[in-house]
Coordinates of all heavy atoms in Angstrom, one line a residue:
Chain C
I302 N 26.9 -3.6 -2.6 CA 26.7 -3.3 -1.2 C 26.2 -1.9 -1.0 O 25.4 -1.6 -0.1 CB 28.1 -3.5 -0.4 CG1 27.8 -3.7 1.0 CG2 29.0 -2.3 -0.6 CD1 28.7 -4.6 1.7
S303 N 26.5 -1.0 -2.0 CA 25.9 0.3 -1.9 C 24.4 0.2 -2.1 O 23.6 0.9 -1.4 CB 26.4 1.2 -3.0 OG 27.8 1.1 -3.1
F304 N 24.0 -0.6 -3.0 CA 22.5 -0.8 -3.2 C 21.9 -1.2 -1.9 O 20.8 -0.7 -1.5 CB 22.3 -1.8 -4.3 CG 20.9 -2.1 -4.6 CD1 20.0 -1.2 -5.2 CD2 20.3 -3.3 -4.2 CE1 18.7 -1.4 -5.4 CE2 19.0 -3.6 -4.4 CZ 18.2 -2.6 -5.0
L305 N 22.4 -2.2 -1.3 CA 21.8 -2.8 -0.1 C 21.8 -1.7 1.0 O 20.8 -1.6 1.8 CB 22.5 -4.0 0.4 CG 22.4 -5.2 -0.5 CD1 23.2 -6.4 0.0 CD2 20.9 -5.6 -0.6
L306 N 22.9 -0.9 1.1 CA 23.0 0.0 2.2 C 22.1 1.2 2.0 O 21.8 1.9 3.0 CB 24.4 0.5 2.4 CG 25.4 -0.6 3.0 CD1 26.8 0.0 3.0 CD2 24.9 -0.8 4.5
T307 N 21.7 1.5 0.8 CA 21.0 2.8 0.5 C 19.5 2.5 0.2 O 18.8 3.5 0.0 CB 21.6 3.6 -0.6 OG1 21.9 2.7 -1.7 CG2 22.9 4.2 -0.2
L308 N 19.2 1.3 0.1 CA 17.8 0.9 -0.3 C 16.8 1.5 0.7 O 15.7 2.0 0.3 CB 17.6 -0.6 -0.4 CG 16.4 -1.1 -1.0 CD1 16.4 -0.6 -2.5 CD2 16.3 -2.6 -1.0
W309 N 17.1 1.6 2.0 CA 16.2 2.0 3.0 C 15.9 3.5 2.9 O 15.1 4.0 3.6 CB 16.6 1.6 4.4 CG 18.0 1.9 4.7 CD1 19.1 1.1 4.4 CD2 18.6 3.1 5.2 NE1 20.2 1.7 4.8 CE2 20.0 2.9 5.3 CE3 18.0 4.3 5.7 CZ2 20.8 3.9 5.8 CZ3 18.8 5.2 6.2 CH2 20.2 5.0 6.3
F310 N 16.6 4.2 2.0 CA 16.3 5.6 1.8 C 14.8 5.8 1.4 O 14.1 6.7 1.7 CB 17.1 6.2 0.7 CG 18.5 6.6 1.1 CD1 19.5 6.9 0.2 CD2 18.8 6.7 2.5 CE1 20.8 7.2 0.6 CE2 20.1 7.0 2.9 CZ 21.1 7.3 1.9
L311 N 14.4 4.8 0.6 CA 13.0 4.8 0.1 C 12.0 4.9 1.3 O 11.0 5.5 1.1 CB 12.7 3.6 -0.8 CG 13.5 3.6 -2.1 CD1 13.1 2.4 -2.9 CD2 13.2 4.8 -2.9
Y312 N 12.3 4.3 2.4 CA 11.4 4.3 3.5 C 11.2 5.7 4.0 O 10.2 6.1 4.4 CB 11.9 3.4 4.6 CG 11.1 3.5 5.9 CD1 9.9 3.0 6.0 CD2 11.6 4.2 7.0 CE1 9.1 3.1 7.1 CE2 10.9 4.3 8.2 CZ 9.6 3.8 8.2 OH 8.8 3.9 9.3
F313 N 12.3 6.5 3.9 CA 12.2 7.9 4.5 C 11.3 8.8 3.6 O 11.0 9.9 4.0 CB 13.6 8.5 4.6 CG 14.4 7.9 5.7 CD1 15.8 7.6 5.5 CD2 13.8 7.6 6.9 CE1 16.5 7.0 6.5 CE2 14.5 7.0 7.9 CZ 15.9 6.7 7.7
L314 N 10.9 8.3 2.5 CA 10.0 9.1 1.6 C 8.6 9.1 2.2 O 7.8 9.8 1.9 CB 10.0 8.5 0.2 CG 11.3 8.7 -0.6 CD1 11.1 8.1 -1.9 CD2 11.6 10.2 -0.7
K315 N 8.4 8.1 3.2 CA 7.1 8.0 3.8 C 6.5 9.3 4.3 O 5.4 9.7 4.1 CB 7.2 7.0 4.9 CG 5.8 6.5 5.4 CD 6.0 5.6 6.7 CE 5.6 6.4 7.9 NZ 5.8 5.7 9.1
W316 N 7.4 10.1 5.0 CA 6.9 11.4 5.5 C 6.5 12.3 4.4 O 5.6 13.1 4.6 CB 8.0 11.9 6.4 CG 8.1 11.3 7.7 CD1 7.5 11.7 8.9 CD2 8.8 10.1 8.1 NE1 7.8 10.8 9.9 CE2 8.6 9.8 9.4 CE3 9.5 9.1 7.4 CZ2 9.1 8.7 10.1 CZ3 10.0 8.1 8.0 CH2 9.8 7.8 9.4
G317 N 7.3 12.3 3.4 CA 7.0 13.2 2.2 C 5.6 12.8 1.7 O 4.8 13.7 1.3
V318 N 5.4 11.5 1.6 CA 4.1 11.1 1.0 C 3.0 11.5 1.9 O 1.9 12.0 1.5 CB 4.1 9.5 0.8 CG1 2.7 9.0 0.4 CG2 5.1 9.1 -0.2
M319 N 3.2 11.4 3.2 CA 2.1 11.7 4.2 C 1.7 13.2 4.1 O 0.6 13.5 4.2 CB 2.5 11.3 5.6 CG 2.3 9.8 5.8 SD 2.6 9.3 7.5 CE 3.6 10.5 8.3
D320 N 2.8 14.0 4.0 CA 2.5 15.4 4.0 C 2.2 16.0 2.6 O 1.7 17.1 2.4 CB 3.8 16.2 4.5 CG 3.6 16.6 5.9 OD1 3.0 15.8 6.6 OD2 4.2 17.6 6.3
G321 N 2.4 15.1 1.6 CA 2.2 15.6 0.2 C 0.8 15.4 -0.2 O -0.1 15.0 0.5
N322 N 0.6 15.8 -1.4 CA -0.8 15.8 -2.0 C -0.7 15.1 -3.3 O -0.1 15.6 -4.3 CB -1.3 17.2 -2.1 CG -2.7 17.3 -2.2 OD1 -3.4 16.3 -2.4 ND2 -3.3 18.4 -2.0
I323 N -1.4 13.9 -3.4 CA -1.3 13.1 -4.6 C -2.0 13.8 -5.8 O -1.6 13.6 -6.9 CB -1.9 11.7 -4.3 CG1 -1.7 10.8 -5.5 CG2 -3.4 11.8 -4.1 CD1 -0.3 10.2 -5.5
S324 N -2.9 14.8 -5.5 CA -3.6 15.5 -6.6 C -2.6 16.3 -7.4 O -3.0 16.7 -8.6 CB -4.7 16.3 -6.0 OG -4.1 17.4 -5.3
H325 N -1.4 16.5 -6.9 CA -0.4 17.3 -7.7 C -0.1 16.6 -9.0 O 0.5 17.2 -10.0 CB 0.9 17.5 -7.0 CG 0.7 18.5 -5.9 ND1 1.7 18.8 -5.0 CD2 -0.3 19.3 -5.5 CE1 1.3 19.7 -4.1 NE2 0.0 20.0 -4.4
T326 N -0.3 15.3 -9.1 CA 0.1 14.5 -10.3 C -0.8 14.8 -11.5 O -0.5 14.5 -12.6 CB 0.1 13.0 -10.0 OG1 -1.2 12.7 -9.4 CG2 1.2 12.6 -9.0
L327 N -1.9 15.4 -11.2 CA -2.8 15.8 -12.3 C -2.7 17.3 -12.5 O -2.4 18.1 -11.6 CB -4.3 15.5 -11.8 CG -4.6 14.0 -11.9 CD1 -6.0 13.8 -11.3 CD2 -4.6 13.5 -13.3
P328 N -3.0 17.8 -13.7 CA -3.3 17.1 -14.9 C -2.0 16.5 -15.5 O -0.9 17.0 -15.3 CB -3.9 18.2 -15.8 CG -3.4 19.5 -15.3 CD -3.1 19.2 -13.8
L329 N -2.2 15.5 -16.3 CA -1.1 14.6 -16.7 C -0.2 15.3 -17.6 O 1.0 15.3 -17.5 CB -1.7 13.4 -17.4 CG -0.9 12.1 -17.2 CD1 -0.5 11.9 -15.7 CD2 -1.7 10.9 -17.6
F330 N -0.7 16.0 -18.7 CA 0.2 16.5 -19.7 C 0.0 18.0 -19.8 O -0.4 18.6 -20.8 CB -0.1 15.9 -21.1 CG 0.1 14.4 -21.1 CD1 -1.0 13.6 -21.0 CD2 1.4 13.9 -21.1 CE1 -0.8 12.2 -21.0 CE2 1.5 12.5 -21.1 CZ 0.5 11.7 -21.0
N331 N 0.4 18.7 -18.7 CA 0.2 20.1 -18.6 C 1.5 20.9 -18.8 O 2.1 21.3 -17.9 CB -0.4 20.5 -17.3 CG -0.9 21.9 -17.2 OD1 -1.0 22.5 -18.2 ND2 -1.2 22.4 -16.0
F332 N 1.9 20.9 -20.1 CA 3.2 21.6 -20.4 C 3.2 22.0 -21.8 O 2.5 21.4 -22.7 CB 4.4 20.8 -20.0 CG 4.3 19.4 -20.6 CD1 4.8 19.2 -21.9 CD2 3.8 18.4 -19.9 CE1 4.7 17.9 -22.4 CE2 3.8 17.1 -20.4 CZ 4.2 16.9 -21.7
T333 N 4.1 22.9 -22.2 CA 4.3 23.3 -23.6 C 5.5 22.6 -24.1 O 6.2 22.0 -23.4 CB 4.5 24.8 -23.7 OG1 5.7 25.1 -23.0 CG2 3.3 25.6 -23.1
K334 N 5.6 22.6 -25.4 CA 6.7 21.9 -26.1 C 8.1 22.4 -25.5 O 9.0 21.6 -25.2 CB 6.7 22.2 -27.6 CG 6.1 21.1 -28.4 CD 6.2 21.4 -29.9 CE 5.2 20.7 -30.7 NZ 5.0 21.3 -32.0
E335 N 8.2 23.8 -25.4 CA 9.5 24.3 -25.0 C 9.8 23.8 -23.6 O 11.0 23.4 -23.3 CB 9.4 25.9 -25.0 CG 9.3 26.5 -26.3 CD 8.0 26.4 -26.9 OE1 7.0 26.5 -26.1 OE2 7.8 26.3 -28.1
E336 N 8.8 23.8 -22.7 CA 9.1 23.3 -21.4 C 9.5 21.9 -21.4 O 10.5 21.5 -20.7 CB 7.8 23.4 -20.5 CG 7.4 24.8 -20.1 CD 6.0 24.9 -19.5 OE1 5.3 23.9 -19.6 OE2 5.7 26.0 -19.0
F337 N 8.9 21.1 -22.2 CA 9.3 19.7 -22.3 C 10.7 19.6 -22.8 O 11.5 18.8 -22.2 CB 8.3 19.0 -23.3 CG 8.7 17.5 -23.5 CD1 8.4 16.6 -22.5 CD2 9.3 17.1 -24.7 CE1 8.8 15.3 -22.7 CE2 9.7 15.8 -24.9 CZ 9.4 14.9 -23.9
F338 N 11.1 20.4 -23.8 CA 12.5 20.3 -24.3 C 13.5 20.7 -23.3 O 14.5 20.0 -23.1 CB 12.6 21.0 -25.6 CG 12.0 20.3 -26.8 CD1 11.1 20.9 -27.6 CD2 12.4 19.0 -27.0 CE1 10.5 20.2 -28.6 CE2 11.9 18.3 -28.1 CZ 10.9 18.9 -28.9
T339 N 13.2 21.8 -22.6 CA 14.2 22.2 -21.6 C 14.3 21.2 -20.5 O 15.5 20.9 -20.1 CB 13.8 23.5 -20.8 OG1 12.5 23.9 -21.3 CG2 14.8 24.6 -21.0
A340 N 13.2 20.6 -20.1 CA 13.3 19.6 -19.0 C 14.1 18.4 -19.5 O 14.9 17.9 -18.8 CB 11.9 19.2 -18.6
S341 N 13.8 17.9 -20.7 CA 14.5 16.7 -21.1 C 15.9 17.0 -21.4 O 16.8 16.2 -21.2 CB 13.8 16.0 -22.3 OG 13.4 17.0 -23.2
K342 N 16.2 18.2 -21.8 CA 17.6 18.6 -22.1 C 18.4 18.5 -20.7 O 19.5 18.0 -20.6 CB 17.7 20.0 -22.7 CG 19.1 20.3 -23.2 CD 19.0 21.6 -24.0 CE 19.0 22.8 -23.0 NZ 19.0 24.1 -23.7
K343 N 17.8 19.1 -19.7 CA 18.5 19.2 -18.4 C 18.4 17.9 -17.7 O 19.3 17.6 -16.9 CB 17.8 20.3 -17.6 CG 18.2 21.7 -17.9 CD 17.7 22.6 -16.9 CE 18.2 24.0 -17.0 NZ 17.5 24.9 -16.1
G344 N 17.4 17.1 -17.9 CA 17.2 16.0 -17.1 C 17.7 14.7 -17.6 O 18.0 13.7 -16.8
L345 N 17.9 14.6 -18.9 CA 18.3 13.3 -19.5 C 19.6 12.8 -18.9 O 19.8 11.6 -18.8 CB 18.4 13.4 -21.0 CG 18.5 12.1 -21.7 CD1 17.2 11.3 -21.5 CD2 18.7 12.3 -23.2
M346 N 20.5 13.7 -18.4 CA 21.7 13.3 -17.8 C 21.5 12.4 -16.6 O 22.4 11.7 -16.2 CB 22.6 14.5 -17.4 CG 21.8 15.4 -16.5 SD 22.8 16.5 -15.6 CE 23.2 15.5 -14.2
A347 N 20.3 12.4 -16.1 CA 20.1 11.6 -14.9 C 20.2 10.1 -15.2 O 20.5 9.3 -14.3 CB 18.7 11.9 -14.3
I348 N 20.1 9.7 -16.4 CA 20.2 8.3 -16.7 C 21.6 8.0 -17.3 O 21.9 6.9 -17.6 CB 19.2 7.8 -17.7 CG1 19.2 8.8 -18.9 CG2 17.8 7.7 -17.1 CD1 18.5 8.1 -20.1
G349 N 22.5 9.0 -17.3 CA 23.8 8.8 -17.8 C 24.6 7.8 -17.0 O 24.4 7.8 -15.7
G350 N 25.3 6.9 -17.6 CA 26.0 5.9 -16.8 C 25.8 4.5 -17.4 O 26.7 3.7 -17.3
F351 N 24.7 4.3 -18.0 CA 24.5 3.0 -18.6 C 25.4 2.7 -19.8 O 25.7 1.6 -20.1 CB 23.0 2.8 -19.0 CG 22.6 3.6 -20.2 CD1 22.7 3.0 -21.4 CD2 22.1 4.9 -20.0 CE1 22.3 3.8 -22.5 CE2 21.7 5.6 -21.1 CZ 21.8 5.1 -22.4
E352 N 25.8 3.8 -20.5 CA 26.6 3.7 -21.7 C 28.0 3.1 -21.3 O 28.7 2.6 -22.2 CB 26.7 5.0 -22.4 CG 27.7 6.0 -21.9 CD 27.2 6.8 -20.7 OE1 26.0 6.5 -20.3 OE2 27.8 7.7 -20.2
L353 N 28.3 3.1 -20.1 CA 29.6 2.5 -19.7 C 29.7 1.0 -20.0 O 30.8 0.5 -20.0 CB 29.9 2.8 -18.2 CG 30.2 4.2 -17.8 CD1 30.7 4.2 -16.4 CD2 31.2 4.9 -18.7
I354 N 28.5 0.4 -20.2 CA 28.5 -1.0 -20.4 C 29.4 -1.4 -21.6 O 30.0 -2.5 -21.7 CB 27.1 -1.6 -20.6 CG1 27.1 -3.1 -20.4 CG2 26.4 -1.1 -21.9 CD1 25.8 -3.7 -20.4
S355 N 29.5 -0.5 -22.6 CA 30.3 -0.8 -23.7 C 31.8 -0.9 -23.4 O 32.6 -1.4 -24.2 CB 30.1 0.2 -24.9 OG 30.3 1.5 -24.4
F356 N 32.2 -0.4 -22.2 CA 33.6 -0.5 -21.8 C 33.8 -1.8 -21.0 O 34.9 -2.3 -21.0 CB 34.0 0.7 -21.1 CG 33.9 1.9 -21.9 CD1 32.8 2.8 -21.8 CD2 34.9 2.3 -22.7 CE1 32.7 3.9 -22.6 CE2 34.9 3.4 -23.5 CZ 33.8 4.2 -23.5
Y357 N 32.9 -2.2 -20.2 CA 33.1 -3.5 -19.5 C 32.4 -4.6 -20.1 O 32.4 -5.7 -19.5 CB 32.8 -3.3 -18.0 CG 31.4 -2.8 -17.6 CD1 30.3 -3.6 -17.6 CD2 31.2 -1.5 -17.2 CE1 29.1 -3.2 -17.3 CE2 30.0 -1.0 -16.8 CZ 28.9 -1.9 -16.9 OH 27.7 -1.4 -16.5
F358 N 31.8 -4.4 -21.3 CA 31.2 -5.6 -21.9 C 32.1 -6.8 -22.1 O 31.6 -7.9 -21.9 CB 30.6 -5.1 -23.3 CG 29.6 -6.0 -23.9 CD1 28.3 -6.0 -23.4 CD2 30.0 -6.9 -24.8 CE1 27.4 -6.9 -23.9 CE2 29.0 -7.8 -25.4 CZ 27.8 -7.8 -24.9
P359 N 33.4 -6.6 -22.5 CA 34.2 -7.8 -22.7 C 34.4 -8.6 -21.4 O 34.7 -9.8 -21.5 CB 35.6 -7.2 -23.1 CG 35.3 -5.8 -23.6 CD 34.1 -5.4 -22.9
H360 N 34.1 -8.0 -20.3 CA 34.3 -8.8 -19.0 C 33.1 -9.6 -18.6 O 33.1 -10.3 -17.6 CB 34.7 -7.8 -17.9 CG 36.0 -7.1 -18.1 ND1 37.2 -7.6 -17.8 CD2 36.2 -5.9 -18.7 CE1 38.1 -6.8 -18.2 NE2 37.6 -5.7 -18.7
I361 N 32.0 -9.4 -19.3 CA 30.8 -10.1 -18.9 C 30.8 -11.5 -19.3 O 31.2 -11.9 -20.5 CB 29.5 -9.4 -19.5 CG1 29.5 -7.9 -19.0 CG2 28.3 -10.1 -19.2 CD1 28.4 -7.1 -19.7
I362 N 30.4 -12.4 -18.4 CA 30.5 -13.8 -18.7 C 29.4 -14.2 -19.7 O 29.7 -14.8 -20.8 CB 30.3 -14.7 -17.4 CG1 31.5 -14.4 -16.5 CG2 30.2 -16.2 -17.8 CD1 31.3 -15.0 -15.1
N363 N 28.2 -13.9 -19.4 CA 27.1 -14.3 -20.3 C 26.7 -13.1 -21.1 O 25.7 -12.3 -20.8 CB 25.9 -14.7 -19.4 CG 24.9 -15.4 -20.2 OD1 24.9 -15.3 -21.4 ND2 24.0 -16.1 -19.5
Q364 N 27.4 -12.9 -22.2 CA 27.2 -11.7 -23.0 C 25.8 -11.7 -23.8 O 25.2 -10.7 -24.0 CB 28.3 -11.5 -24.0 CG 29.6 -11.2 -23.3 CD 30.7 -11.0 -24.3 OE1 30.8 -11.6 -25.4 NE2 31.7 -10.2 -23.9
K365 N 25.3 -12.9 -24.1 CA 24.1 -13.0 -24.8 C 22.9 -12.4 -24.0 O 22.0 -11.8 -24.5 CB 23.8 -14.5 -25.1 CG 24.7 -15.1 -26.1 CD 24.0 -15.5 -27.4 CE 24.9 -15.8 -28.5 NZ 25.9 -16.9 -28.2
K366 N 23.0 -12.7 -22.7 CA 21.9 -12.2 -21.8 C 22.2 -10.8 -21.2 O 21.4 -10.3 -20.4 CB 21.6 -13.2 -20.7 CG 20.9 -14.4 -21.2 CD 20.2 -15.1 -20.0 CE 19.3 -16.2 -20.5 NZ 18.9 -17.1 -19.4
A367 N 23.3 -10.2 -21.6 CA 23.7 -8.9 -21.0 C 22.6 -7.9 -21.2 O 22.3 -7.1 -20.3 CB 24.9 -8.4 -21.7
F368 N 21.9 -7.9 -22.3 CA 20.8 -6.9 -22.5 C 19.7 -7.0 -21.5 O 19.3 -6.0 -20.9 CB 20.2 -7.1 -23.9 CG 19.2 -6.1 -24.2 CD1 19.5 -4.7 -24.4 CD2 17.8 -6.4 -24.3 CE1 18.5 -3.8 -24.7 CE2 16.9 -5.5 -24.6 CZ 17.2 -4.2 -24.8
K369 N 19.3 -8.2 -21.2 CA 18.3 -8.4 -20.2 C 18.7 -7.9 -18.8 O 18.0 -7.2 -18.2 CB 17.9 -9.9 -20.2 CG 16.7 -10.3 -19.3 CD 16.4 -11.8 -19.4 CE 16.0 -12.2 -18.0 NZ 16.3 -13.7 -17.8
H370 N 19.9 -8.3 -18.5 CA 20.4 -8.0 -17.1 C 20.6 -6.4 -17.0 O 20.3 -5.8 -16.0 CB 21.7 -8.7 -16.8 CG 21.6 -10.1 -16.8 ND1 22.6 -11.0 -17.2 CD2 20.6 -10.9 -16.5 CE1 22.2 -12.2 -17.1 NE2 21.0 -12.2 -16.7
A371 N 21.1 -5.9 -18.1 CA 21.3 -4.4 -18.1 C 20.0 -3.7 -18.0 O 19.9 -2.7 -17.3 CB 22.1 -4.0 -19.4
S372 N 19.0 -4.2 -18.7 CA 17.7 -3.6 -18.6 C 17.1 -3.7 -17.2 O 16.5 -2.7 -16.7 CB 16.7 -4.3 -19.6 OG 17.2 -4.2 -20.9
I373 N 17.3 -4.9 -16.6 CA 16.8 -5.0 -15.2 C 17.5 -3.9 -14.3 O 16.8 -3.2 -13.6 CB 17.1 -6.4 -14.6 CG1 16.3 -7.4 -15.4 CG2 16.8 -6.5 -13.1 CD1 16.7 -8.9 -15.0
G374 N 18.8 -3.8 -14.4 CA 19.5 -2.8 -13.6 C 19.0 -1.4 -13.9 O 18.8 -0.6 -13.0
L375 N 18.8 -1.2 -15.2 CA 18.4 0.2 -15.6 C 17.0 0.5 -14.9 O 16.8 1.6 -14.4 CB 18.2 0.2 -17.1 CG 17.8 1.5 -17.7 CD1 18.9 2.5 -17.7 CD2 17.4 1.3 -19.2
W376 N 16.1 -0.5 -15.0 CA 14.8 -0.2 -14.5 C 14.7 -0.1 -12.9 O 13.9 0.6 -12.4 CB 13.7 -1.1 -15.0 CG 13.4 -0.7 -16.4 CD1 13.9 -1.3 -17.6 CD2 12.6 0.4 -16.8 NE1 13.4 -0.6 -18.6 CE2 12.6 0.4 -18.2 CE3 11.8 1.3 -16.1 CZ2 11.9 1.3 -19.0 CZ3 11.1 2.2 -16.9 CH2 11.2 2.3 -18.3
I377 N 15.7 -0.8 -12.3 CA 15.7 -0.7 -10.8 C 16.1 0.8 -10.5 O 15.5 1.4 -9.7 CB 16.8 -1.6 -10.2 CG1 16.4 -3.1 -10.3 CG2 17.0 -1.3 -8.7 CD1 17.4 -4.0 -9.8

Side-chain angles (χ1 to χ4, degrees):
Chain C
I302 204 148
S303 317
F304 175 73
L305 292 177
L306 285 175
T307 49
L308 192 63
W309 48 271
F310 281 166
L311 291 181
Y312 174 73
F313 289 140
L314 293 178
K315 193 187 108 182
W316 282 264
V318 174
M319 279 185 342
D320 262 30
N322 201 342
I323 190 78
S324 67
H325 288 177
T326 51
L327 284 173
L329 214 47
F330 301 102
N331 191 11
F332 51 85
T333 60
K334 258 186 209 162
E335 290 78 34
E336 286 169 352
F337 177 76
F338 282 125
T339 5
S341 42
K342 192 173 78 179
K343 280 188 173 171
L345 194 62
M346 55 161 272
I348 50 161
F351 71 90
E352 78 277 6
L353 290 192
I354 194 173
S355 54
F356 298 96
Y357 54 79
F358 195 79
H360 298 276
I361 297 171
I362 294 168
N363 192 347
Q364 293 181 331
K365 291 244 165 61
K366 283 199 170 165
F368 180 69
K369 189 177 139 204
H370 299 150
S372 304
I373 294 174
L375 181 72
W376 282 99
I377 293 177

